[in-house]
Amino acid sequence: MNSKIDLVTFRLFVFWYTVGIFLLTFDLVPPPLEWANSVFLILCGVLGGFYFIRTYGIFIGGITVTVIMVFSIAAEVFGVSTGLLFGDYDYNPDFGLVFFNVPFTIGTAWLMVIATTHALVSPWFSHVKSSAIKGFGYVLTASLFAVAIDLVIDPVAFEVKTYWEWGGTDGFYYGIPFSNFVGWFIVAFVLHSFIYVLFHLARVWNKQVHSYWWPRTVALFYMIVFMFTFLCAVNGLWLAAISGVVTMVVARMITNRFNRSHL
């Protein structure tokens, strides 16, 4: 049974999301309200946390959330400090609490990315008998979808909103270095590998579907991709917009095929 906090939290996110799309589309967010971006990222992370904890229990879900937050922030700190993982970049100071030049909200954003890609992809491999094929297929596919999310987020965040800046680079994709996408894949691959191993050891892998949070977490995947795809199109970033459309179409096609084959 869903608690009132689940319902209120998701409805608050939908409200914030809807208002956010309107304000960002017409560039109506004044500088004093840039903190609203941090609230949006925190809400995204909270939804991801609810999905893991409600689906897999407080202990396993809590471990998952903690590892995702700690590892992703540590990876970002390493990246900002060395320029080796995501390229040479710095964050805009409008994202709230900062740890070693990395905003705490980046950890909540990663929590959303990992939760949504896990919820989307894990059912596709639930009936694969070989553990090796199931694990590798899940980890690889979920990691690729995580990179697909980044392909629509970064052009808007970098080109339009300047939420972060890369230095001394001229990447082929809107000036974004290729190493950034490699870094995203590596972080997502490590985290999804951890999730697969942990959930199998804890024997909770087959609990991917929670009646309330699973469909909403999958919907969150599409909502995030749609939001940034739309903003890419509004700002004339057509390659990124096409990438977003392809991501949503491919995800939907695979889901439909999975559903038909397991009716």
Side-chain angles (χ1 to χ4, degrees), residues 207-257:
K207 293 183 178 180
Q208 300 105 328
V209 177
H210 183 279
S211 60
Y212 184 82
W213 279 109
W214 179 76
R216 283 161 179 79
T217 306
V218 172
L220 179 60
F221 171 86
Y222 288 103
M223 290 169 73
I224 295 299
V225 176
F226 171 79
M227 177 182 188
F228 284 95
T229 299
F230 179 73
L231 292 173
C232 284
V234 167
N235 290 279
L237 305 173
W238 295 111
L239 179 59
I242 292 171
S243 173
V245 171
V246 170
T247 296
M248 290 186 286
V249 170
V250 169
R252 194 60 195 166
M253 287 176 61
I254 297 176
T255 298
N256 288 342
R257 184 172 180 177

XYZ file of all heavy atoms in Angstrom, residues 207-257:
417
model
N 12.341 -8.671 -8.158
C 11.383 -7.720 -7.604
C 11.400 -6.382 -8.341
O 11.080 -5.355 -7.768
C 11.682 -7.459 -6.120
C 11.445 -8.658 -5.212
C 11.693 -8.273 -3.767
C 11.410 -9.435 -2.827
N 11.654 -9.055 -1.413
N 11.759 -6.402 -9.652
C 11.879 -5.134 -10.367
C 10.577 -4.332 -10.374
O 10.584 -3.118 -10.412
C 12.280 -5.357 -11.833
C 13.593 -6.059 -12.021
C 13.340 -7.497 -12.454
O 12.355 -8.087 -12.072
N 14.250 -8.037 -13.234
N 9.448 -5.030 -10.369
C 8.159 -4.359 -10.577
C 7.452 -4.097 -9.251
O 7.024 -5.025 -8.562
C 7.251 -5.197 -11.504
C 5.893 -4.515 -11.653
C 7.914 -5.378 -12.864
N 7.359 -2.825 -8.895
C 6.566 -2.380 -7.752
C 5.328 -1.708 -8.331
O 5.429 -0.861 -9.231
C 7.368 -1.397 -6.902
C 6.662 -0.929 -5.668
N 5.710 0.076 -5.697
C 6.755 -1.324 -4.371
C 5.273 0.288 -4.465
N 5.888 -0.553 -3.650
N 4.149 -2.084 -7.833
C 2.894 -1.655 -8.465
C 2.766 -0.145 -8.600
O 2.176 0.354 -9.569
C 1.697 -2.203 -7.682
O 1.713 -1.726 -6.343
N 3.330 0.607 -7.653
C 3.233 2.072 -7.729
C 4.481 2.683 -8.347
O 4.391 3.495 -9.282
C 3.008 2.667 -6.333
C 2.807 4.176 -6.361
C 1.563 4.725 -6.661
C 3.865 5.044 -6.107
C 1.381 6.099 -6.706
C 3.693 6.423 -6.143
C 2.447 6.943 -6.448
O 2.271 8.313 -6.492
N 5.654 2.301 -7.871
C 6.866 3.015 -8.256
C 7.492 2.551 -9.568
O 8.164 3.333 -10.241
C 7.903 2.959 -7.133
C 7.598 3.982 -6.089
C 7.129 3.758 -4.823
C 7.685 5.398 -6.226
N 6.925 4.942 -4.165
C 7.260 5.969 -5.007
C 8.072 6.241 -7.261
C 7.226 7.343 -4.795
C 8.046 7.616 -7.062
C 7.623 8.146 -5.836
N 7.285 1.298 -9.956
C 7.897 0.866 -11.215
C 7.360 1.642 -12.421
O 8.144 2.206 -13.188
C 7.735 -0.642 -11.430
C 8.351 -1.063 -12.748
C 9.672 -1.218 -13.032
C 7.642 -1.334 -13.956
N 9.843 -1.575 -14.343
C 8.611 -1.649 -14.941
C 6.293 -1.337 -14.313
C 8.263 -1.977 -16.257
C 5.953 -1.660 -15.620
C 6.926 -1.975 -16.566
N 6.041 1.706 -12.637
C 5.571 2.457 -13.806
C 5.924 3.937 -13.751
O 6.182 4.569 -14.788
C 4.047 2.240 -13.789
C 3.724 1.853 -12.393
C 4.915 1.096 -11.893
N 5.974 4.511 -12.557
C 6.304 5.929 -12.433
C 7.799 6.182 -12.657
O 8.182 7.248 -13.152
C 5.844 6.448 -11.061
C 4.341 6.672 -11.022
C 3.775 6.730 -9.615
N 2.336 6.975 -9.668
C 1.435 6.029 -9.944
N 1.823 4.780 -10.171
N 0.145 6.320 -9.976
N 8.626 5.211 -12.308
C 10.058 5.367 -12.548
C 10.366 5.221 -14.035
O 11.212 5.939 -14.577
C 10.866 4.345 -11.727
O 10.485 4.459 -10.342
C 12.357 4.599 -11.844
N 9.692 4.302 -14.703
C 9.831 4.193 -16.162
C 9.315 5.476 -16.817
O 9.930 6.004 -17.750
C 9.071 2.962 -16.699
C 9.057 2.964 -18.229
C 9.714 1.677 -16.188
N 8.177 5.983 -16.317
C 7.643 7.241 -16.848
C 8.629 8.379 -16.634
O 8.775 9.262 -17.489
C 6.306 7.566 -16.172
N 9.341 8.358 -15.505
C 10.343 9.385 -15.224
C 11.443 9.371 -16.283
O 11.924 10.429 -16.693
C 10.941 9.166 -13.826
C 12.031 10.137 -13.375
C 11.522 11.579 -13.349
C 12.553 9.734 -11.988
N 11.841 8.185 -16.723
C 12.824 8.075 -17.804
C 12.337 8.844 -19.030
O 13.056 9.682 -19.589
C 13.061 6.608 -18.158
C 13.902 6.413 -19.393
C 15.287 6.395 -19.314
C 13.304 6.258 -20.640
C 16.063 6.223 -20.460
C 14.065 6.087 -21.787
C 15.456 6.074 -21.702
N 11.114 8.569 -19.456
C 10.573 9.227 -20.648
C 10.363 10.727 -20.414
O 10.580 11.540 -21.321
C 9.251 8.572 -21.060
C 9.417 7.202 -21.668
C 9.134 6.056 -20.941
C 9.880 7.053 -22.973
C 9.299 4.788 -21.496
C 10.042 5.793 -23.542
C 9.753 4.671 -22.802
O 9.916 3.427 -23.357
N 9.956 11.099 -19.207
C 9.729 12.515 -18.909
C 11.026 13.315 -19.004
O 11.046 14.418 -19.582
C 9.120 12.672 -17.516
C 7.691 12.169 -17.413
S 7.091 12.078 -15.694
C 6.870 13.825 -15.332
N 12.120 12.761 -18.473
C 13.397 13.459 -18.518
C 13.903 13.560 -19.949
O 14.328 14.634 -20.400
C 14.435 12.742 -17.629
C 14.022 12.814 -16.155
C 15.825 13.352 -17.826
C 13.919 14.211 -15.590
N 13.855 12.447 -20.680
C 14.325 12.468 -22.069
C 13.463 13.415 -22.904
O 13.978 14.197 -23.709
C 14.315 11.057 -22.682
C 14.704 11.109 -24.160
C 15.283 10.148 -21.936
N 12.136 13.377 -22.699
C 11.250 14.270 -23.453
C 11.539 15.726 -23.135
O 11.598 16.576 -24.038
C 9.790 13.961 -23.141
C 8.837 14.981 -23.720
C 8.486 14.944 -25.063
C 8.345 16.023 -22.936
C 7.641 15.907 -25.607
C 7.504 16.987 -23.471
C 7.151 16.928 -24.809
N 11.705 16.041 -21.865
C 11.935 17.428 -21.456
C 13.149 18.019 -22.171
O 13.075 19.101 -22.769
C 12.133 17.494 -19.940
C 12.458 18.880 -19.403
S 12.727 18.827 -17.605
C 12.837 20.578 -17.232
N 14.267 17.290 -22.124
C 15.485 17.825 -22.722
C 15.467 17.719 -24.240
O 16.073 18.545 -24.928
C 16.708 17.139 -22.117
C 17.031 17.643 -20.738
C 16.564 16.987 -19.609
C 17.782 18.800 -20.564
C 16.838 17.469 -18.335
C 18.061 19.294 -19.300
C 17.588 18.628 -18.175
N 14.768 16.728 -24.781
C 14.597 16.654 -26.232
C 13.815 17.863 -26.729
O 14.164 18.490 -27.737
C 13.865 15.356 -26.625
O 14.646 14.230 -26.215
C 13.634 15.291 -28.129
N 12.760 18.197 -26.013
C 11.941 19.356 -26.365
C 12.748 20.646 -26.277
O 12.687 21.495 -27.174
C 10.732 19.419 -25.435
C 9.821 20.591 -25.683
C 9.003 20.627 -26.799
C 9.778 21.659 -24.799
C 8.160 21.720 -27.040
C 8.952 22.743 -25.010
C 8.139 22.774 -26.143
N 13.535 20.790 -25.208
C 14.358 21.992 -25.052
C 15.444 22.060 -26.125
O 15.791 23.161 -26.594
C 14.990 22.017 -23.659
C 14.012 22.218 -22.495
C 14.727 22.061 -21.159
C 13.341 23.587 -22.578
N 15.968 20.901 -26.524
C 16.936 20.874 -27.633
C 16.286 21.393 -28.910
O 16.865 22.213 -29.636
C 17.457 19.452 -27.852
S 18.664 18.897 -26.641
N 15.072 20.935 -29.188
C 14.371 21.359 -30.396
C 14.048 22.853 -30.351
O 14.237 23.570 -31.336
C 13.084 20.548 -30.570
N 13.587 23.331 -29.212
C 13.251 24.752 -29.068
C 14.470 25.634 -29.319
O 14.362 26.724 -29.893
C 12.680 25.026 -27.654
C 12.614 26.522 -27.370
C 11.294 24.405 -27.518
N 15.652 25.154 -28.923
C 16.878 25.940 -29.060
C 17.690 25.590 -30.307
O 18.840 26.002 -30.436
C 17.741 25.761 -27.812
C 17.147 26.436 -26.587
O 17.281 27.640 -26.405
N 16.470 25.658 -25.748
N 17.080 24.841 -31.204
C 17.724 24.545 -32.476
C 18.850 23.541 -32.408
O 19.669 23.457 -33.333
N 18.895 22.735 -31.366
C 19.922 21.694 -31.238
C 19.358 20.404 -31.834
O 19.011 19.458 -31.132
C 20.304 21.512 -29.769
C 20.764 22.791 -29.034
C 20.956 22.514 -27.551
C 22.052 23.325 -29.652
N 19.281 20.370 -33.143
C 18.503 19.343 -33.822
C 19.112 17.951 -33.728
O 18.388 16.957 -33.630
C 18.278 19.735 -35.273
C 17.438 20.974 -35.376
C 17.825 22.215 -35.793
C 16.051 21.097 -35.006
N 16.777 23.103 -35.701
C 15.681 22.451 -35.229
C 15.101 20.202 -34.505
C 14.394 22.911 -34.971
C 13.816 20.666 -34.260
C 13.486 22.013 -34.491
N 20.421 17.840 -33.768
C 21.042 16.525 -33.651
C 20.724 15.903 -32.297
O 20.397 14.711 -32.207
C 22.555 16.634 -33.837
C 23.353 15.324 -33.726
C 22.861 14.328 -34.764
C 24.840 15.596 -33.886
N 20.793 16.708 -31.246
C 20.467 16.222 -29.912
C 18.981 15.880 -29.812
O 18.599 14.889 -29.174
C 20.851 17.264 -28.863
N 18.129 16.700 -30.424
C 16.689 16.443 -30.404
C 16.370 15.121 -31.099
O 15.559 14.321 -30.608
C 15.939 17.586 -31.071
N 17.011 14.874 -32.233
C 16.806 13.612 -32.951
C 17.289 12.444 -32.106
O 16.641 11.394 -32.043
C 17.546 13.650 -34.302
C 16.880 14.669 -35.234
C 17.569 12.267 -34.953
C 17.657 14.934 -36.505
N 18.411 12.640 -31.417
C 18.931 11.597 -30.529
C 17.917 11.251 -29.453
O 17.710 10.073 -29.123
C 20.247 12.068 -29.890
O 20.690 11.162 -28.911
N 17.270 12.271 -28.887
C 16.266 12.038 -27.853
C 15.059 11.285 -28.378
O 14.545 10.375 -27.716
N 14.592 11.672 -29.566
C 13.446 10.986 -30.171
C 13.780 9.526 -30.435
O 12.989 8.623 -30.143
C 13.017 11.687 -31.476
C 11.970 10.857 -32.210
C 12.467 13.077 -31.182
N 14.970 9.277 -30.983
C 15.394 7.895 -31.255
C 15.460 7.088 -29.971
O 15.028 5.929 -29.921
C 16.771 7.886 -31.972
C 17.333 6.471 -32.030
C 16.648 8.468 -33.371
N 15.984 7.697 -28.902
C 16.067 7.006 -27.611
C 14.692 6.582 -27.123
O 14.493 5.429 -26.701
C 16.723 7.925 -26.556
O 18.074 8.197 -26.932
C 16.705 7.270 -25.179
N 13.723 7.487 -27.178
C 12.379 7.159 -26.705
C 11.711 6.103 -27.579
O 11.055 5.187 -27.075
C 11.526 8.431 -26.649
C 11.940 9.396 -25.546
S 10.836 10.825 -25.368
C 11.307 11.803 -26.819
N 11.897 6.215 -28.893
C 11.285 5.254 -29.812
C 11.882 3.863 -29.617
O 11.155 2.865 -29.539
C 11.459 5.713 -31.274
C 11.050 4.601 -32.244
C 10.635 6.968 -31.541
N 13.209 3.776 -29.539
C 13.869 2.475 -29.362
C 13.446 1.849 -28.035
O 13.131 0.650 -27.971
C 15.401 2.633 -29.417
C 16.089 1.349 -28.978
C 15.843 3.002 -30.829
N 13.419 2.645 -26.966
C 13.012 2.128 -25.662
C 11.588 1.584 -25.716
O 11.290 0.507 -25.182
C 13.129 3.217 -24.605
N 10.721 2.320 -26.386
C 9.315 1.896 -26.465
C 9.155 0.653 -27.316
O 8.375 -0.253 -26.985
C 8.461 3.040 -27.028
C 6.971 2.823 -26.845
C 6.631 2.692 -25.382
N 5.302 2.132 -25.185
C 4.853 1.659 -24.032
N 5.646 1.682 -22.967
N 3.648 1.167 -23.927
N 9.891 0.574 -28.417
C 9.811 -0.593 -29.294
C 10.265 -1.858 -28.570
O 9.628 -2.908 -28.674
C 10.661 -0.362 -30.546
C 10.078 0.632 -31.532
S 11.202 0.954 -32.939
C 11.325 -0.691 -33.655
N 11.362 -1.754 -27.826
C 11.857 -2.927 -27.096
C 10.875 -3.320 -26.006
O 10.607 -4.514 -25.787
C 13.244 -2.640 -26.491
C 14.267 -2.382 -27.609
C 13.704 -3.823 -25.635
C 15.640 -1.987 -27.105
N 10.310 -2.339 -25.315
C 9.330 -2.632 -24.264
C 8.115 -3.334 -24.844
O 7.619 -4.320 -24.278
C 8.911 -1.338 -23.553
O 10.039 -0.743 -22.929
C 7.847 -1.623 -22.496
N 7.596 -2.842 -25.974
C 6.432 -3.440 -26.606
C 6.709 -4.879 -27.039
O 5.889 -5.768 -26.879
C 5.991 -2.610 -27.804
C 5.349 -1.305 -27.403
O 4.921 -1.144 -26.260
N 5.273 -0.360 -28.318
N 7.921 -5.083 -27.596
C 8.277 -6.439 -28.028
C 8.398 -7.373 -26.841
O 7.951 -8.519 -26.891
C 9.610 -6.378 -28.792
C 10.006 -7.735 -29.370
C 11.214 -7.608 -30.269
N 11.589 -8.894 -30.831
C 12.580 -9.077 -31.697
N 13.306 -8.029 -32.079
N 12.863 -10.267 -32.153
